């Protein structure tokens, strides 16, 4: 896959001033392939060469209501008449907190700017609340770019050791080894291993942070009873259950994964879809914990948290979600999955389609169900990537990286689905012959 002439020229210019030409390593597709965006509208994205793509990356997920959504832009423009940053509570912020409470069932909410900031804050709250230091996460889960997240996010499967004595692999250089001493990472969906670790170590563990489904492993779903088991174990040992809903929140259901899976966490982190692409995040939770956040108790802060532009975005996003936009997201996702199934069944190649309709993923694997990171990692990513790169060339853009599911927006139409499935079928035929 190669970028067009204008994208390439713009990328070369970017690379003179921005390391690698991108502001996040995850956006780099290679010097000759990294596209530069020109604009987006609804379900579509145009690159610098005016090539149009049906967009299923949606900025790594947030743009659930479509690009340049007029109602949201108008609401922000109106809000900007009052200014943006006051280091004071503002009315938009109160409205957003009230709406989040109503939709998700959390008791109290603090605002942040990014998912990274929200999960960092949630871990701090859990540590302060319990007086314990360690964080337990799951292999393959990604909770942002801070040092307490980047362990066993994407390790070589041979690198995590034997299941009874696993070790931690940092995502890259610059993450202090000593931070790893405060972490555990275990396989997702494995009750026995989790139970054993908690029996041995519960006194040290402040929180279990869990993506309710592995949204960074093509949407691996929790097996029946796993989230309930985590909930039960947290209650048993006084551990704070943090559900990281940065990808699932305001996407897979109005009330996010808590509603979808009927599970109540102690703390929930939101970002992405809450702002439809504007930088906003929230830490919500039950009163007995979140009520302890405050001066002289549990620290939390930030200059830009609850800035008016972000709050106005979230204010309108939540109204649109309440009005039923997610139904369109689910309907489109269902249509794609049915089409993929037909196309892939015809090839005879083993695969699974997994995840909720709003963010489905495909893995080429012999496993009947992907239950944990290893199952995904051992899949045939070369075939998946070859198909996806052809789709992108033909104007359909899921993420370049097989870790990401396909993100659906409420602007994707039935006509788009027909076009996309046609392109997908062509790409599959070209790759799997
Ligand atoms: C589950 C999860 N948590 C946290 C984050 C970090 O969010 P952000 O990129 O807004 O910092 C991500 C980002 O993809 C995520 O998927």
């Amino acid at each position: 896959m190669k970028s067009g002439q204008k994208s390439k020229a713009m990328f070369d210019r970017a690379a003179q001033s921005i390391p690698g030409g991108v502001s996040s390593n995850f956006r780099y597709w290679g010097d000759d392939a990294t596209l530069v965006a020109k604009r987006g509208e609804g379900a579509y994205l145009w690159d610098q060469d005016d090539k149009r793509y049906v967009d299923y990356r949606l900025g790594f997920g947030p743009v659930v209501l479509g690009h340049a959504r007029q109602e949201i832009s108008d609401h922000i423009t109106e809000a900007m008449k009052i200014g943006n940053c006051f280091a004071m509570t503002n009315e938009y912020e109160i409205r957003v907190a009230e709406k989040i409470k109503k939709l998700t069932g959390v008791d109290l909410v603090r605002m942040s700017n990014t998912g990274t900031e929200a999960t960092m804050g949630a871990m701090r709250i859990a540590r302060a609340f319990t007086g314990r230091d360690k964080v337990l996460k799951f292999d393959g889960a990604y909770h942002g770019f801070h040092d307490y997240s980047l362990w066993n996010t994407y390790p070589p499967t041979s690198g995590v050791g034997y299941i009874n004595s696993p070790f931690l692999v940092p995502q890259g250089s610059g993450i202090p080894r000593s931070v790893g001493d405060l972490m555990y990472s275990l396989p997702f969906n494995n009750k026995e291993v989790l139970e054993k670790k908690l029996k041995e170590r519960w006194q040290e563990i402040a929180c279990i942070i869990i993506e309710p489904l592995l949204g960074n492993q093509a949407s691996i779903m929790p097996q029946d009873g796993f989230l309930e088991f985590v909930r039960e174990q947290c209650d048993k040992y006084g551990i704070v259950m943090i559900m990281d809903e940065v990808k699932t929140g305001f996407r897979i259901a109005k009330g996010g994964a808590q509603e979808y899976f009927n599970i109540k966490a102690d703390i929930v982190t939101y970002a992405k879809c809450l702002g439809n692409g504007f930088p906003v995040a929230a830490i919500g939770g039950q009163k007995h914990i979140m009520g302890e956040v405050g001066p002289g108790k549990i620290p939390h802060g930030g200059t830009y948290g609850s800035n008016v532009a972000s709050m106005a975005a979230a204010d309108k996003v939540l109204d649109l979600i309440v009005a039923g936009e997610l139904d369109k997201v689910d309907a489109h996702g269902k249509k794609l999955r049915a089409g993929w199934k037909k196309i892939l069944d015809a090839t005879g190649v083993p695969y699974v389609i997994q995840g909720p309709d709003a963010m489905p993923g495909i893995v080429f694997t012999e496993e009947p169900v992907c239950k944990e990171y290893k199952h995904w990692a051992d899949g045939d990513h070369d075939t998946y990537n070859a198909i996806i790169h052809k789709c992108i060339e033909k104007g359909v853009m899921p993420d370049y990286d097989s870790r990401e599911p396909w993100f659906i927006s409420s602007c994707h139409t039935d006509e788009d689905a027909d076009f996309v499935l046609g392109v997908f079928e062509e790409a599959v035929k070209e790759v799997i012959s």
Side-chain angles (χ1 to χ4, degrees):
M1 217 208 88
K2 273 195 183 316
S3 50
Q5 261 182 5
K6 289 185 182 160
S7 259
K8 172 70 176 131
M10 194 72 95
F11 172 80
D12 288 344
R13 180 178 151 205
Q16 299 299 311
S17 308
I18 303 167
V22 288
S23 285
S24 159
N25 288 3
F26 301 117
R27 299 178 194 171
Y28 179 74
W29 297 358
D31 282 2
D32 292 329
T34 304
L35 299 175
V36 177
K38 189 165 189 184
R39 68 186 189 92
E41 190 181 329
Y44 311 121
L45 172 68
W46 285 264
D47 70 12
Q48 287 290 326
D49 292 276
D50 289 314
K51 180 167 172 180
R52 194 196 83 161
Y53 303 87
V54 186
D55 186 10
Y56 292 100
R57 291 175 82 231
L58 299 177
F60 293 140
V63 190
V64 67
L65 305 178
H67 293 288
R69 186 70 187 246
Q70 195 63 50
E71 300 96 310
I72 300 171
S73 304
D74 289 348
H75 201 57
I76 296 170
T77 306
E78 181 60 30
M80 285 299 82
K81 291 181 185 160
I82 66 166
N84 193 46
C85 184
F86 306 119
M88 284 184 193
T89 301
N90 64 72
E91 193 181 347
Y92 285 99
E93 168 187 359
I94 299 169
R95 284 219 294 261
V96 171
E98 288 168 349
K99 288 175 188 178
I100 292 175
K101 281 170 56 175
K102 202 162 169 199
L103 279 173
T104 67
V106 300
D107 299 327
L108 291 167
V109 186
R110 272 282 175 106
M111 302 302 172
S112 266
N113 302 287
T114 67
T116 295
E117 222 185 296
T119 60
M120 231 165 50
M123 288 180 191
R124 162 80 56 75
I125 293 167
R127 285 173 161 145
F129 185 75
T130 57
R132 305 172 189 165
D133 283 344
K134 291 203 178 176
V135 169
L136 191 152
K137 71 178 284 289
F138 294 94
D139 296 343
Y142 176 74
H143 301 292
F145 218 65
H146 56 82
D147 291 347
Y148 292 112
S149 162
L150 296 174
W151 297 90
N152 287 12
T153 45
Y154 190 40
T157 45
S158 57
V160 295
Y162 171 55
I163 197 154
N164 285 349
S165 50
F167 34 81
L168 285 159
V169 182
Q171 181 163 314
S173 299
I175 301 162
R177 173 52 60 190
S178 55
V179 173
D181 294 341
L182 296 174
M183 305 293 303
Y184 291 114
S185 185
L186 301 180
F188 194 61
N189 275 325
N190 190 325
K191 291 184 194 173
E192 292 72 33
V193 172
L194 177 61
E195 189 171 31
K196 182 168 179 286
K197 179 62 73 187
L198 294 178
K199 233 182 222 158
E200 291 165 3
R201 299 287 182 185
W202 66 268
Q203 297 93 334
E204 308 167 341
I205 298 172
C207 59
I208 296 180
I209 184 163
I210 183 166
E211 278 189 84
L213 57 99
L214 293 184
N216 293 283
Q217 253 69 62
S219 289
I220 292 179
M221 290 293 259
Q223 294 300 289
D224 277 353
F226 185 66
L227 295 176
E228 290 80 355
F229 184 73
V230 172
R231 175 69 276 174
E232 236 174 74
Q233 294 289 300
C234 284
D235 288 341
K236 180 171 172 184
Y237 293 118
I239 293 169
V240 176
M241 179 177 179
I242 302 174
M243 192 116 102
D244 181 358
E245 290 228 49
V246 165
K247 271 193 171 158
T248 54
F250 310 110
R251 167 171 284 285
I252 67 171
K254 288 178 189 169
Q258 290 201 111
E259 177 187 325
Y260 191 95
F261 294 113
N262 192 25
I263 280 285
K264 200 167 165 110
D266 298 309
I267 298 181
V268 191
T269 51
Y270 300 105
K272 304 226 181 213
C273 294
L274 178 57
N276 200 50
F278 288 87
V280 51
I283 307 169
Q286 297 187 23
K287 194 171 179 182
H288 68 284
I289 301 178
M290 288 301 290
E292 298 304 301
V293 175
K297 298 193 284 181
I298 301 179
H300 173 256
T303 301
Y304 298 109
S306 87
N307 71 82
V308 174
S310 296
M311 289 298 103
D315 189 36
K316 184 53 76 177
V317 165
L318 294 175
D319 285 350
L320 291 165
I321 283 176
V322 167
E325 292 266 334
L326 297 184
D327 296 343
K328 297 185 231 168
V329 174
D330 285 344
H332 188 83
K334 269 196 183 64
K335 195 155 190 212
L336 286 192
R337 304 172 85 112
W340 291 338
K341 181 173 181 333
K342 225 164 141 185
I343 294 162
L344 293 174
D345 280 349
T347 65
V349 169
Y351 72 92
V352 296
I353 296 171
Q354 58 190 12
D357 293 333
M359 47 186 290
I362 303 169
V363 186
F364 289 107
T365 172
E366 308 257 346
E367 297 288 342
V369 182
C370 278
K371 294 184 184 159
E372 56 164 298
Y373 172 74
K374 251 184 198 180
H375 293 165
W376 171 86
D378 290 341
D380 177 1
H381 300 285
D382 290 345
T383 298
Y384 179 80
N385 290 342
I387 292 169
I388 286 330
H389 297 177
K390 284 198 182 290
C391 286
I392 297 174
E393 277 168 10
K394 294 169 194 284
V396 173
M397 191 185 281
D399 201 73
Y400 200 79
D401 179 335
S402 53
R403 279 178 285 188
E404 295 285 342
W406 291 49
F407 291 108
I408 317 287
S409 82
S410 59
C411 293
H412 285 102
T413 63
D414 283 354
E415 212 174 55
D416 292 328
D418 293 340
F419 169 71
V420 167
L421 290 169
V423 162
F424 185 78
E425 185 166 24
E426 253 176 55
V428 166
K429 282 187 176 148
E430 284 167 23
V431 173
I432 308 172
S433 43

